[in-house]
Amino acid sequence: MSTSVTVPAVSLNNGVAMPQLGFGVWQITPDDRASAAVLTAFDAGYRAIDTARIYTNEGGVGAALERSELSRDDVFLTTKLWNNEQGYDSVLRAFDNSLAKLGTDYLDLYLVHWPVPFHNRYVETWRAFEKLYADGLIRAIGVSNFEPNHLRTLLDSANVVPAVNQIEFHPYLQQHELFELHKELGIATESWSPLGQGTVLGDPVIGAIAERLQKTPAQVILRWQIQLGNIVVPKSATESRIRENISIFEFELSADDMTALGGIHRGERVGQHPNDFIDDF
Ligand code: NAD
C-alpha cells in the first residue's frame, strides 16, 4: 500500500529544505532488516533518513536507496561522524567510508555525533566539516548533542554556523535553554528519541489529548514537536507504527493542548548527558 503524505519542510540557515519528519534507524540491524524498514518508510511517504556510522546500518540504508524507485535527490540523507573519527584527516576518511556504504556521492546532512568535550577535538573536526561543505560534498553540516557552551566554543572559530543541532527532546526533556539559543543562532532543533524511546507514551496528559482527538499518544507527541517547529526522526521497525508516525499532518493541536504538553517537562533523559559521553574514543 503506497501512501501519499506531504511532509512540510524546514528551511535550514543556508536555505536547504529539510523534511520536518524523517525516519530514524538506530537499532534497526542487520543491513537487510534496515533496508526493509527504510523501503517500508519510503512507501509510507518518508523522504528523510537518519542514520550514523555507529548504527552499523549505513549499508542497509544504501541498499534501500539502490532498490527503491526513488531517485537519490528525492531523499534527504543524514549520517553522523562517530566519536573516534573526530580530528581533521580522520573526518575526511570517515566521510568517504560513509559515502561508500551509503552508495552515494554526496550527503544532505552530516552531523558531529557527540561533542566529547573531554577530548576537545570538535573544533578541529568542524574545520574538516567546513571543507567538505565548501567542496560541495554535503548540502548542510550540523552537530548533535552539543550543549550551549559547546556551541559557543564552536562559533568562536567557525566560518559556518551549524544548520542543525540534533538533541534528545521529548515531553519529559524539553531542552528550554537550547531551544531558545537555537532560535537566537539560527540553528534548527532536531529531536532524537522524540517519543522518549516509548517512556512517555503512557503519560496521562498525553493520553487525555489523544483520546479526545482520536489519535495515538505517539501521534500527539510528534504533532506537538512539529508545531514547536522541531524536526523529528521517530524510529520503529513495525510497519503499522511507521505509518502511524507519519500520519500527523491532517490534525492540529490547540494552543491549550500545546500549553498542557509544555507543562509535563521533568528534566528526565533516556540517553546520556553530552558532557559524560566519552566512550569509544
Ligand atoms: P524514539 O523516541 O523514536 O522511540 C522509538 C521506540 O518507540 C520504538 O523502538 C518503539 O518501541 C516505540 N514506538 C515507536 N513508534 C511507536 C508508536 N507509534 N506506538 C508505540 N510505540 C512506538 O527513540 P529512538 O529510536 O531512540 O530515537 C529515534 C531516532 O533518533 C533514532 O533511530 C536515531 O536515528 C536518532 N537518535 C540519535 C541520537 C543521537 O545521539 N544523535 C541518539 C538516539 C537516537
Side-chain angles (χ1 to χ4, degrees):
M1 183 185 65
S2 194
T3 334
S4 94
V5 178
T6 305
V7 174
V10 164
S11 181
L12 301 178
N13 62 13
N14 62 355
V16 165
M18 176 169 181
Q20 207 182 347
L21 178 139
F23 185 58
V25 296
W26 181 40
Q27 293 175 321
I28 310 184
T29 55
D31 276 345
D32 57 350
R33 191 163 165 262
S35 171
V38 169
L39 285 169
T40 301
F42 285 158
D43 191 61
Y46 293 76
R47 293 292 177 269
I49 305 297
D50 184 76
T51 183
R53 206 277 278 160
I54 197 68
Y55 301 170
T56 65
N57 58 16
E58 289 172 310
V61 173
L65 280 169
E66 166 90 41
R67 280 168 55 197
S68 163
E69 283 164 13
L70 296 172
S71 73
R72 170 67 187 87
D73 295 355
D74 292 331
V75 178
F76 190 100
L77 196 52
T78 300
T79 194
K80 314 183 193 82
L81 177 92
W82 189 237
N83 302 341
N84 62 359
E85 299 166 323
Q86 286 207 26
Y88 191 85
D89 293 335
S90 47
V91 166
L92 305 182
R93 281 194 301 273
F95 177 73
D96 283 345
N97 285 337
S98 282
L99 282 194
K101 288 217 170 72
L102 290 162
T104 182
D105 55 7
Y106 74 96
L107 283 182
D108 294 284
L109 179 64
Y110 197 28
L111 302 177
V112 181
H113 206 145
W114 292 86
V116 209
F118 179 75
H119 289 286
N120 197 22
R121 283 196 207 152
Y122 61 83
V123 169
E124 183 191 346
T125 295
W126 191 247
R127 276 202 302 117
F129 271 56
E130 290 180 331
K131 178 196 160 29
L132 293 166
Y133 178 65
D135 288 349
L137 297 167
I138 314 175
R139 296 177 66 225
I141 52 177
V143 295
S144 178
N145 299 302
F146 273 46
E147 290 290 297
N149 64 314
H150 308 134
L151 287 175
R152 291 197 181 95
T153 303
L154 195 71
L155 290 176
D156 280 344
S157 63
N159 294 314
V160 179
V161 176
V164 166
N165 188 13
Q166 185 185 107
I167 54 174
E168 182 180 340
F169 194 121
H170 46 74
Y172 291 166
L173 187 76
Q174 299 194 17
Q175 299 272 23
H176 301 109
E177 188 185 357
L178 275 169
F179 186 75
E180 292 307 320
L181 183 66
H182 289 168
K183 276 197 221 162
E184 193 186 310
L185 299 174
I187 297 172
T189 300
E190 182 173 14
S191 304
W192 64 253
S193 297
L195 305 172
Q197 293 176 0
T199 58
V200 302
L201 294 172
D203 184 275
V205 172
I206 298 168
I209 295 171
E211 199 175 321
R212 177 164 40 79
L213 298 177
Q214 298 283 290
K215 298 290 165 191
T216 66
Q219 288 174 319
V220 168
I221 297 163
L222 295 171
R223 180 70 211 181
W224 166 70
Q225 300 227 28
I226 293 290
Q227 288 183 217
L228 287 177
N230 292 359
I231 298 159
V232 286
V233 287
K235 170 256 171 183
S236 175
T238 307
E239 176 163 1
S240 57
R241 288 175 173 176
I242 291 173
R243 292 187 186 281
E244 177 185 322
N245 293 346
I246 198 176
S247 303
I248 57 167
F249 298 106
E250 75 303 341
F251 76 102
E252 249 182 75
L253 297 171
S254 66
D256 284 351
D257 290 339
M258 292 296 289
T259 304
L261 293 165
I264 62 175
H265 169 78
R266 295 180 180 174
E268 268 177 28
R269 289 178 189 271
V270 296
Q272 274 180 283
H273 191 285
N275 281 336
D276 303 332
F277 200 94
I278 58 167
D279 77 335
D280 200 16
F281 212 95

